[in-house]
Amino acid sequence: MTAIPVTMMAIGWDAPGGPEVLRPESVPVPQPGPGQVLIKVAFAGVNRPDVIQRQGFYPAPADASPLPGLEVSGQVVAMGEGVTWPFTGTMVCALVAGGGYAQYCIAEAAQCLQVPTGLSLAEAAAIPETLFTVWHNVFERGMTAPGETILVHGGTSGIGSMAVLLGKLFGVTVIVTCGGPDKCAQALEIGAAHAIDYKATDFVAEVARITEGRGVDMVLDMVAGDYVSRNIKCLAEDGRHVTIAVQGGLKAEINMAEVMRRRLTLTGSTLRPRSKAFKAALASEIRETVWPLVATGELRPIMDQTFPLAEAAAAHTRMEQGAHIGKIVLAVE
């Protein structure tokens, strides 16, 4: 293993703005603290929160790196005090609170997952953010059980495709919305039971038709805004509505009498600001329930494009254009 340098290349910006503000910079290599490891990054996942942070609307938590990047894969090259695993030399992927767009990144040891044989490091970097988010919001917060039907917006996004994949593996029927017939075809190929082109048809009416008027048991909502009232119309009695992003607006107007009459549950969450203890517990559950499926090859992320780290601006441009299918990653080496 090569010596750890004093400085490294990372992606930053001088002021918030469009993708063009992203540029390489030289910064000190971080040092792992208690309970942390230092990862020599091979690949970093690109996620919507990175875009929002770059735009100036989603600052990093006070105790996290100000650099973008919420998931990485690579080799552990240093262990902080009290760490008993992962060992130096272990290939891991990890959910991080920031700092992924760099040659080296700090991760909480408890939030690392070992990369199994057969999983590429590019694929490994594409898993943590979407897997942690979907597992918590669909199966824990959303209480989705085998045999149920759910509605997921953005069916070909990183989150949407992971929801489809996990739904298939855990006996859940997944209906998705997508923008255009090509994306609907891609979603069906990924494994969605039904794909609704929201640009051509009313997804509320389509959900009613598909479910023969019953509705879905849960909606995974990344839009918010005026979608919330429409989502509620899609829910069956005792249905759950889980919001994980507000791309369509911060405010929604809903009929609370309808919520009471049909015993609906409205909830939501954000992952990044949650405590280290919460993320460690979530990682432990994923390690027990989902990671064996990764190890056997039954679960693999849907991959879009790989960009060199220095071309992070191009990766962000592709994400903002909305043409991607699955995950975009940055190759660091």
Side-chain angles (χ1 to χ4, degrees), residues 214-237:
R214 177 186 177 275
V216 297
D217 299 287
M218 197 220 51
V219 175
L220 184 64
D221 173 43
M222 293 171 257
V223 184
D226 62 6
Y227 260 47
V228 177
S229 61
R230 298 171 69 192
N231 291 339
I232 287 174
K233 292 178 181 178
C234 294
L235 285 172
E237 290 193 352

Side-chain angles (χ1 to χ4, degrees), residues 86-174:
F87 309 112
T88 300
T90 305
M91 305 304 293
V92 299
C93 59
L95 180 75
V96 296
Y101 288 20
Q103 291 177 310
Y104 292 85
C105 181
I106 294 293
E108 298 297 320
Q111 292 168 212
C112 292
L113 300 164
Q114 187 162 1
V115 178
T117 302
L119 180 70
S120 72
L121 287 175
E123 290 174 316
I127 291 178
E129 171 71 11
T130 55
L131 178 53
F132 279 58
T133 298
V134 172
W135 185 258
H136 174 59
N137 288 288
V138 172
F139 294 96
E140 293 183 340
R141 186 166 293 275
M143 299 179 288
T144 300
E148 290 192 323
T149 300
I150 68 174
L151 172 65
V152 177
H153 293 298
T156 55
S157 67
I159 292 286
S161 59
M162 180 59 73
V164 170
L165 294 170
L166 287 177
K168 281 190 66 178
L169 289 169
F170 287 89
V172 176
T173 299
V174 184

Side-chain angles (χ1 to χ4, degrees), residues 2 22 41 46 53 121 124 131 138 141 144 172 182 188 190 206 212 246 267 270 314-315 321:
T2 57
L22 295 175
V41 179
V46 177
Q53 179 180 349
L121 287 175
L131 178 53
V138 172
R141 186 166 293 275
T144 300
V172 176
D182 290 344
L188 293 172
I190 292 168
E206 278 297 287
E212 298 181 339
V246 289
T267 184
T270 55
Q321 289 171 341

